[in-house]
Amino acid sequence: MTEARGSAGLNGTAYAPGTPCWVSLMVHGTAATQEFYGELFGWKFQPGPQHLGPYVRAQLDGQEVAGIGQLPRDSQLPVAWTPYLASDDVDLTAETVRHCGGTVGVGPLVADDAGRLAIASDPSGAVFGVWQAAAHLGAGLAGVPGTPTWNELVTRDGAGVARFYETVFGHEAKPSVSAGSDYVTLHVEGRPVAAINGVGAALPRDRGAHWMTYFEVVDVDAAVARVVSLGGHVVEPAHESPHGRVATVADLEGASFSLVRTNR
């Protein structure tokens, strides 16, 4: 994991294509979910586009950082944090997804005056979004406590699925130099923006391939305790990593995410 702060888009300009520019969570109970994350991260909420049903944008220090929406009753989408990757042409990106063995489950469609989107899955089944910005460029704040700081795809074969993202989004994939490691960092314009972690048989059977969003916090252990007190649970206890202290938790509806205090 590498800190992705300083991404284009945080200074009022559009994110470079292929850069994670937004994270969104679709749930069944939006009121309880807003309360959970509001208490955990200090978020406030404002209404957002209603193209997929009730939707709010989370704000921190007056800047938009994430979205929470309500799943349609007939939706097949998982309750999970989903990163959106920037695109200059969502229709072309969706077509390329299909040609490269992925699936487009939603869209492309217009999200009011905010932009245009699609929700897709890669050949391993991991769900991600594609965002073509108009009025809404994406997150206005990242990499500070209470905001997303990194996105990582957990899959069986990292090197294999990396070719999909290289072709669809133009990422430059750089494999880890560690012996026996199946870890690929995705770069845009020479800067790391996300990663793919091939875990082989350790891939959870109940989840399959999935994107994991990391949220920066001041104190991982305190944040984990807060998650539990709010009704969530621990998926992977807090531990030290080469990049900082990290833990994986789940919210009220089981959406997993990671808490991290990155090394500065």
Side-chain angles (χ1 to χ4, degrees), residues 27-230:
V27 297
H28 298 286
T30 55
T33 298
Q34 288 178 56
E35 183 176 357
F36 175 90
Y37 286 100
E39 291 289 337
L40 180 61
F41 293 135
W43 290 351
K44 307 297 183 184
F45 299 93
Q46 294 292 330
Q50 308 295 301
H51 52 284
L52 294 178
Y55 190 83
V56 295
R57 290 178 182 157
Q59 295 184 337
L60 186 68
D61 296 332
Q63 298 290 328
E64 295 176 346
V65 297
I68 296 175
Q70 184 168 316
L71 283 168
R73 291 185 179 181
D74 59 349
S75 174
Q76 300 300 311
L77 292 173
V79 178
W81 281 102
T82 301
Y84 281 72
L85 280 63
S87 170
D88 286 339
D89 186 336
V90 69
D91 295 86
L92 178 59
T93 300
E95 182 179 346
T96 308
V97 165
R98 296 187 186 98
H99 287 169
C100 293
T103 302
V104 178
V106 176
L109 55 82
V110 174
D112 299 339
D113 64 346
R116 191 164 170 80
L117 69 84
I119 300 176
S121 58
D122 65 28
S124 72
V127 175
F128 62 92
V130 183
W131 182 252
Q132 181 180 340
H136 178 64
L137 299 178
L141 187 66
V144 300
T147 70
T149 193
W150 189 245
N151 290 281
E152 191 165 291
L153 172 59
V154 182
T155 188
R156 186 176 297 275
D157 175 16
V161 77
R163 290 189 288 273
F164 169 86
Y165 289 93
E166 285 182 290
T167 304
V168 173
F169 292 104
H171 291 132
E172 180 185 4
K174 295 186 177 182
S176 170
V177 296
S178 301
S181 175
D182 184 12
Y183 190 89
V184 179
T185 306
L186 301 176
H187 289 68
V188 170
E189 299 177 346
R191 180 175 49 81
V193 297
I196 301 174
N197 187 12
V199 297
L203 184 69
R205 292 185 178 182
D206 60 338
R207 290 206 61 191
H210 60 278
W211 279 93
M212 176 66 69
T213 297
Y214 287 73
F215 291 90
E216 187 76 22
V217 294
V218 173
D219 184 324
V220 171
D221 296 85
V224 169
R226 188 63 171 152
V227 166
V228 174
S229 72
L230 292 169

